[in-house]
Amino acid sequence: MNKIFEVPLYAYERSPDQDAPSPVRHKVIVIGAGPIGLAAAIDLAQQGIEVVVLDDNDKVSFGSRAICFSQRTLDIADRLGAGRPMVEKGVLWNAGKVYFDNRQVYEFDLQPDTGYANPAFINLQQYYFENALVDRVRELQAEGAPLEIRGRNKVEAIGTHDTHVTLEVETPEGPYNIEADWLIACDGAHSPTRRMLGLDFEGRVFEDNFLIADVEMEADFPTERWFWFDPPFNRGQSALLHKQPDNVWRIDLQLGWDIDKDHEQRPENVIPRLRAMLGEDVKFELEWVSIYTFQCRRMDRFRYGRVLFAGDSAHQVSPFGARGANSGMQDADNLCWKLKLVIDGKAPEILLDSYNRERVQAADENIRMSTRSTDFITPKSDMSRQFRDAVLDLSEQFEFARPLVNSGRLSTPCTYEGSSLSSADALNGPDITRPGAACPDAPLGDDFLLPKLAGKFTLLTIDADAPDRIEEDGIEATRLALSVKDDLTLELKRRYLGDADSAIYLIRPDQHVAARRDSFEENAFQQAIRRATGKE
């Protein structure tokens, strides 16, 4: 068993708040020191917002849990100062193969294109992801950032008020009370915060169970995602194989609905299943075993006054498609710049309602994609199974059938179509950079575009004139002037200019497009800034 599970990363220490004569008020409290809570805390602290993270644990999550992190998540992690260690530790991959019975019927490349700083995906155990974020927290604390993690601080009660939130916290030395101007709940799928506020999920639970096994073994399999429908070693069901760092392999085996979960998780029952898959001669050790049930659900909304929900506490999807943690990282990315503007008095509180609208839209998209994947992987009628099997047979020889194969549509960032923060499109430009879309990366000689668009409003000009900065009602956008008149910027031209001769983009702090035009018009961009900050 990996020793990292036993190492306290933020051991309990008595806080001055526990000795205060009255509850101390903090700007932001985050409940949960998983990837999403840590990401939100780092984001706020980098912007100078005081934040306290409370967690009833003091270690990384047990087991690898989420392992598949997308390019967008890595772009966000770069902005948070933690991306490089993750990529360096992770297993990079972009190729996948799909098997029906024992025949390969389909393969794909997630990144046939070039010109990105980060890979399409990495596989990295969640405990390493969390560890990298905690390391970043320590760096920020050493630099004097207003950020604190309190381990073994369990929130037992929450009270909501118009101006603040009250919390009762239990510790090894007894309870204490604190307050927060804003509370961000990142406490997972079984969120105690959600329960304490009397809230619940809406959605669908699928009648199927899957066995997860993390297996340490020496194997010469290529670094690819392998998915089987109806394999010989798991007849009538599905299977998935993924490589992780440290010679650990993730195996998912569909088990069906009517099972004894405790029985199926016992090593003496897991090991024969794995031997049937891997072969009798392969030596391996079990690192972690779990069973999960597909669930595609979300809260009715993600904002309740001064309490904001993010990650699994707000929404759940099936793990095929890697949409859980990746979507949660985008929640934090969407929320924190808005909360910063509201706290600083530069945007109305109503801006936070756009967090709810945009991330509910993203959750619905993820649930829709995840549900379709689940219905294809686990057909619920004979007709559905016949259709699926026919698609798999045809895909072996005919290209038209391959887009219908659905072993989990892998996570991509949501485009906020129709967002109230976006201005009408005024450029005949590429579809991938329309208003609401997340900016794709592009090479700029020895550098890349996205790091230059991080954490602030940016006026990106491509072969167009504009002021070096514009300001509207306390919000400043600084200019990044680029040109596509040499061969080093072909990807920039293709992704941001298309057939247009020039372009000007207003980019939000979370690197989503707020507005774009072919030339600078001061009134239009001032209005776009007002709209992007909830003032119109």
Side-chain angles (χ1 to χ4, degrees):
M1 192 64 67
N2 198 313
K3 298 299 183 184
I4 194 171
F5 300 140
E6 306 303 323
V7 178
L9 293 182
Y10 34 91
Y12 171 76
E13 295 181 4
R14 189 172 183 84
S15 163
D17 290 0
Q18 292 168 253
D19 301 313
S22 59
V24 175
R25 176 80 62 89
H26 296 278
K27 283 292 182 185
V28 179
I29 291 177
V30 175
I31 303 179
I36 313 310
L38 290 172
I42 291 168
D43 200 344
L44 290 167
Q46 287 187 161
Q47 299 180 76
I49 298 296
E50 184 245 351
V51 57
V52 175
V53 182
L54 304 177
D55 198 292
D56 59 358
N57 195 5
D58 59 3
K59 306 176 183 69
V60 297
S61 298
F62 184 77
S64 69
R65 298 178 179 266
I67 66 164
C68 194
F69 297 101
S70 70
Q71 185 177 83
R72 181 62 192 149
T73 289
L74 298 174
D75 292 339
I76 295 168
D78 277 346
R79 183 175 62 76
L80 300 179
R84 285 302 92 198
M86 295 175 185
V87 173
E88 290 168 3
K89 180 65 177 178
V91 173
L92 281 61
W93 69 277
N94 61 290
K97 292 178 180 176
V98 177
Y99 296 86
F100 184 30
D101 195 352
N102 58 5
R103 306 174 347 251
Q104 179 183 322
V105 296
Y106 178 55
E107 63 181 300
F108 58 83
D109 185 347
L110 291 172
Q111 192 161 288
D113 209 356
T114 60
Y116 302 90
N118 282 311
F121 279 89
I122 64 168
N123 285 350
L124 182 70
Q125 294 94 319
Q126 181 173 317
Y127 47 78
Y128 283 132
F129 197 98
E130 292 180 16
N131 198 73
L133 290 171
V134 171
D135 286 346
R136 178 58 180 155
V137 167
R138 299 307 184 207
E139 289 178 1
L140 288 169
Q141 289 174 329
E143 295 166 4
L147 172 56
E148 183 182 356
I149 304 182
R150 298 181 186 175
R152 301 184 68 190
N153 275 238
K154 183 179 181 181
V155 178
E156 294 283 9
I158 296 173
T160 58
H161 308 272
D162 289 341
T163 60
H164 65 285
V165 181
T166 58
L167 300 93
E168 182 179 317
V169 184
E170 184 63 53
T171 76
E173 297 180 318
Y176 69 103
N177 295 322
I178 52 173
E179 298 176 351
D181 289 341
W182 299 94
L183 177 66
I184 305 177
C186 303
D187 47 352
H190 301 291
S191 171
T193 303
R194 198 174 58 237
R195 173 180 50 78
M196 284 184 273
L197 295 181
L199 305 171
D200 203 353
F201 277 144
E202 299 175 356
R204 177 180 174 190
V205 177
F206 291 85
E207 294 186 355
D208 226 322
N209 293 293
F210 287 76
L211 172 75
I212 298 177
D214 279 355
V215 175
E216 186 175 353
M217 66 178 175
E218 298 282 349
D220 58 359
F221 305 137
T223 305
E224 298 172 341
R225 179 186 192 264
W226 287 358
F227 192 99
W228 288 265
F229 293 94
D230 193 20
F233 53 83
N234 197 29
R235 277 296 177 210
Q237 311 286 7
S238 64
L240 176 67
L241 178 69
H242 254 310
K243 184 178 182 180
Q244 305 175 68
D246 304 333
N247 292 319
V248 175
W249 297 76
R250 160 66 60 81
I251 296 170
D252 288 43
L253 294 172
Q254 183 183 0
L255 299 181
W257 179 242
D258 189 17
I259 65 169
D260 182 333
K261 293 184 180 181
D262 290 336
H263 176 80
E264 292 292 348
Q265 289 184 87
R266 295 172 187 165
E268 62 266 27
N269 298 315
V270 173
I271 288 173
R273 289 183 177 276
L274 299 181
R275 291 206 185 285
M277 177 182 184
L278 301 171
E280 292 292 334
D281 296 333
V282 176
K283 296 180 180 180
F284 61 84
E285 292 184 8
L286 286 177
E287 182 175 273
W288 180 60
V289 175
S290 182
I291 289 179
Y292 64 84
T293 302
F294 276 179
Q295 301 187 39
C296 291
R297 309 186 297 170
R298 68 165 173 85
M299 299 178 68
D300 178 57
R301 62 185 191 272
F302 299 170
R303 181 192 174 199
Y304 288 83
R306 289 179 171 260
V307 181
L308 302 130
F309 290 84
D312 286 351
S313 69
H315 46 75
Q316 287 180 277
V317 291
S318 69
F320 291 124
R323 294 176 177 272
N326 289 304
S327 180
M329 287 291 286
Q330 292 164 44
D331 290 346
D333 192 46
N334 185 291
L335 171 61
C336 290
W337 69 271
K338 297 174 180 178
L339 187 54
K340 159 73 172 174
L341 291 180
V342 171
I343 289 172
D344 287 351
K346 292 184 176 182
E349 192 175 308
I350 198 173
L351 178 61
L352 295 175
D353 290 338
S354 74
Y355 165 71
N356 175 71
R357 289 191 300 271
E358 291 182 341
R359 294 314 298 166
V360 163
Q361 178 184 348
D364 285 343
E365 178 180 296
N366 283 319
I367 288 171
R368 184 170 61 252
M369 293 294 186
S370 189
T371 299
R372 289 173 181 171
S373 298
T374 304
D375 286 338
F376 192 86
I377 292 167
T378 62
K380 298 303 183 287
S381 68
D382 289 340
M383 184 65 71
S384 296
R385 185 173 292 276
Q386 290 175 23
F387 170 77
R388 187 201 69 181
D389 292 353
V391 166
L392 291 169
D393 278 329
L394 289 167
S395 67
E396 187 173 7
Q397 296 185 38
F398 299 104
E399 188 172 348
F400 80 87
R402 290 166 190 163
L404 299 175
V405 176
N406 193 339
S407 62
R409 298 280 188 257
L410 287 157
S411 175
T412 55
C414 177
T415 296
Y416 303 131
E417 302 285 4
S419 171
S420 61
L421 305 191
S422 298
S423 297
D425 196 356
L427 178 74
N428 183 27
D431 191 55
I432 62 169
T433 45
R434 65 191 184 277
C439 291
D441 208 357
L444 302 175
D446 295 331
D447 205 349
F448 285 88
L449 175 63
L450 286 186
K452 300 178 183 300
L453 304 177
K456 62 185 186 303
F457 277 97
T458 303
L459 200 64
L460 171 63
T461 66
I462 304 174
D463 292 320
D465 292 328
D468 289 338
R469 56 181 292 277
I470 58 172
E471 184 175 341
E472 175 60 22
D473 197 17
I475 306 296
E476 181 179 280
T478 55
R479 181 188 182 195
L480 173 62
L482 301 175
S483 176
V484 295
K485 295 181 178 178
D486 60 62
D487 292 338
L488 297 176
T489 54
L490 292 177
E491 286 89 352
L492 180 70
K493 174 178 172 57
R494 184 158 48 83
R495 293 167 192 165
Y496 286 86
L497 207 57
D499 294 330
D501 294 325
S502 62
I504 301 181
Y505 285 76
L506 178 65
I507 311 297
R508 300 176 358 176
D510 59 358
Q511 299 172 331
H512 279 255
V513 176
R516 64 179 187 177
R517 307 180 67 86
D518 60 1
S519 61
F520 181 75
E521 295 182 25
E522 185 173 11
N523 289 340
F525 279 102
Q526 287 177 328
Q527 184 181 41
I529 291 174
R530 291 196 300 274
R531 183 173 290 116
T533 51
K535 298 172 183 175
E536 286 209 353

